[in-house]
Amino acid sequence: MTAPPRPSASRTPAAPRGTTTVADRAVRRVAQRAATETPIPGGVRADGGSAAVRGANARVGVTVALPYPGGLDASALAVQRHVTARTAELTGLAVRPVSVRVRALERQTPDRPPDRPEWGPEEPGGPPGAPCASSPVTLAEPGPHPAGRRARRPWSPRRLPVALGALAVAAACAVLLYDVVAVHAAGRAPATWRVRLVAWLTAHGPDGGTVTGLAAAATVVLGLGMVVLALTPGRRASLPMAPPDAHTYADLPRGAVAVLLRDSVAVLPGVTRVRVRVGRRRVRVGAELAFGDRRGAVAAVTRAAEDALAGCGLARPPRLRVRLRSGPGVTAGGGVPE
């Protein structure tokens, strides 16, 4: 008697055999590699990234260095669209619009070829393993700010630990308040732990000058500081960029803005020793004029700085202030004051 054939494992449906889980680290590396594949002139360098996978959904962020000169908002939008589509294609997950952070700008040299992707899907009908050319991405021109939508300031990722600490403090205060209300409203005796705590604080208060009292006072001040940090955005070193659509968010470090302004002013004839300080609301550009006409130099420096600042695509461009020192070989040019 012949035994019936055993069912093959390949005939078993996929669901009973198990599930496939894509790790956060794998999605992050895929997103970083996809960022370097973005077909924009000069190429993109990925400096970091983050990913969080929840079931079939994923939230991804990448930190990149973009080529300079170039449209920053248009390049960031191209990176965001390419990474979102490429990560969803390779991982099979539903990827939300990727958050792009521009950390640095890289000046391109003529002898540097644009970065080429080293891997990709196979060409239909081509040899196995042959990567296909990336589909072209059209760089969108920076358009007007969407009506009724303001670019939000970048928030520091410290909100979660501070929120947990504030929640713990709020829970302790709620327990203390419950005991006080029970004593005054229901006529109950105060809890033993509260009596002991009040007695200990009376004997070891901050006015006593003891180490324990000072440590307790410092803990209270630290807690208040953590609550303030939880309610403020932080990341004051970044400036929000104007979003071209409702699904794009990008910010630019103030150091990168300073580099743009300094390079734009330093190439002017006769201008030396350029110093730029970029704040959240004001930009100060200081330079020294070695030779030439002062009035024309002031106008040229102001125009170059304004053009560079407008090219950054900031949501709220800071106010510009230009100061030009005159060297010994500089003419008054109409008597423009210092």
Side-chain angles (χ1 to χ4, degrees):
M1 182 175 179
T2 304
R6 300 179 60 182
S8 175
S10 60
R11 298 179 181 178
T12 306
R17 291 203 304 265
T19 58
T20 301
T21 303
V22 183
D24 296 353
R25 180 180 180 183
V27 177
R28 174 177 56 84
R29 299 194 64 176
V30 168
Q32 291 181 225
R33 193 58 178 270
T36 62
E37 291 183 344
T38 307
I40 62 176
V44 179
R45 177 170 57 86
D47 287 345
S50 61
V53 180
R54 298 295 182 269
N57 301 317
R59 299 187 64 177
V60 181
V62 291
T63 303
V64 298
L66 295 180
Y68 169 77
L72 300 181
D73 48 355
S75 300
L77 178 60
V79 172
Q80 189 242 16
R81 290 177 176 174
H82 184 80
V83 174
T84 302
R86 193 77 169 128
T87 306
E89 176 187 356
L90 296 178
T91 61
L93 300 173
V95 182
R96 297 182 180 181
V98 175
S99 173
V100 179
R101 183 186 181 193
V102 182
R103 172 173 291 179
L105 301 174
E106 293 184 343
R107 181 179 291 275
Q108 302 301 307
T109 56
D111 56 346
R112 177 182 174 183
D115 297 338
R116 299 288 185 181
E118 302 178 1
W119 55 276
E122 298 179 358
E123 284 278 12
C132 69
S134 300
S135 58
V137 176
T138 303
L139 299 184
E141 294 295 334
H145 202 281
R149 178 178 175 83
R150 298 182 58 186
R152 57 185 177 89
R153 287 182 54 190
W155 278 76
S156 172
R158 63 174 181 244
R159 290 175 294 174
L160 180 59
V162 173
L164 294 178
L167 183 62
V169 173
C173 294
V175 174
L176 178 60
L177 180 62
Y178 171 79
D179 185 69
V180 172
V181 172
V183 170
H184 291 277
R188 299 180 182 178
T192 305
W193 61 268
R194 187 163 71 90
V195 175
R196 294 179 179 178
L197 178 62
V198 171
W200 183 87
L201 291 177
T202 303
H204 303 82
D207 55 348
T210 61
V211 177
T212 306
L214 295 178
T219 303
V220 174
V221 174
L222 180 61
L224 294 177
M226 293 178 66
V227 173
V228 172
L229 292 179
L231 300 178
T232 54
R235 289 184 59 182
R236 300 176 61 88
S238 298
L239 299 176
M241 302 178 65
D245 53 46
H247 304 289
T248 304
Y249 167 73
D251 61 87
L252 191 63
R254 290 192 289 181
V257 178
V259 171
L260 285 173
L261 295 175
R262 184 173 65 245
D263 291 350
S264 300
V265 174
V267 298
L268 298 177
V271 176
T272 59
R273 299 180 62 181
V274 181
R275 298 174 301 276
V276 180
R277 295 183 60 183
V278 179
R280 290 183 50 243
R281 296 182 177 88
R282 184 174 300 176
V283 175
R284 295 180 176 88
V285 178
E288 183 175 339
L289 184 61
F291 59 87
D293 177 68
R294 175 179 170 78
R295 171 175 293 179
V298 171
V301 169
T302 303
R303 183 168 55 253
E306 289 177 350
D307 293 343
L309 193 60
C312 294
L314 299 178
R316 292 180 291 273
R319 291 179 296 176
L320 179 64
R321 181 180 179 183
V322 177
R323 183 177 183 183
L324 190 64
R325 286 188 174 184
S326 302
V330 178
T331 60
V336 178
E338 285 285 339

